[in-house]
Amino acid sequence: MREYFVWVTTRRIRPGTLEEFERAWRPEPYPPGLRQAYAYWSEDGLEITGVSFWDTKEACGSWRGSQAETRRREAMSSYVVEEREGFYLGRELGIPAR
């Protein structure tokens, strides 16, 4: 079973800023080594969890230390109240056929 390198970030944002936050959140340029990314938000639009899957831990680390990521975080900063993040290893769980 293939292992994945996963970066998860959860942010609480200021009320009424979800649309603006989402525009600032999108990376530019698209990070090398990023395979997939998902965003999940609470019903009230005040908490967003981003989950990204990377080729390697090094690819994720390289992006996190890049100028492009620094600019992206600066663009988001006026909307963010609180931020938590972590890097994980994981794998897909097989769900039995029903």
Side-chain angles (χ1 to χ4, degrees), residues 13 16-24:
I13 62 171
T17 64
L18 179 59
E19 191 174 309
E20 294 91 350
F21 172 83
E22 282 190 294
R23 276 195 295 273

Side-chain angles (χ1 to χ4, degrees), residues 15-76:
T17 64
L18 179 59
E19 191 174 309
E20 294 91 350
F21 172 83
E22 282 190 294
R23 276 195 295 273
W25 177 80
R26 296 192 181 276
E28 183 64 39
Y30 195 79
L34 176 62
R35 286 290 169 194
Q36 293 178 304
Y38 299 89
Y40 305 97
W41 49 94
S42 60
E43 286 187 49
D44 62 8
L46 296 178
E47 187 171 279
I48 294 100
T49 297
V51 181
S52 56
F53 296 84
W54 297 81
D55 287 336
T56 64
K57 182 177 184 176
E58 293 75 22
C60 182
S62 178
W63 169 255
R64 291 177 66 193
S66 72
Q67 288 184 357
E69 173 62 356
T70 298
R71 285 191 304 272
R72 185 179 82 96
R73 285 179 175 267
E74 287 171 358
M76 290 186 294

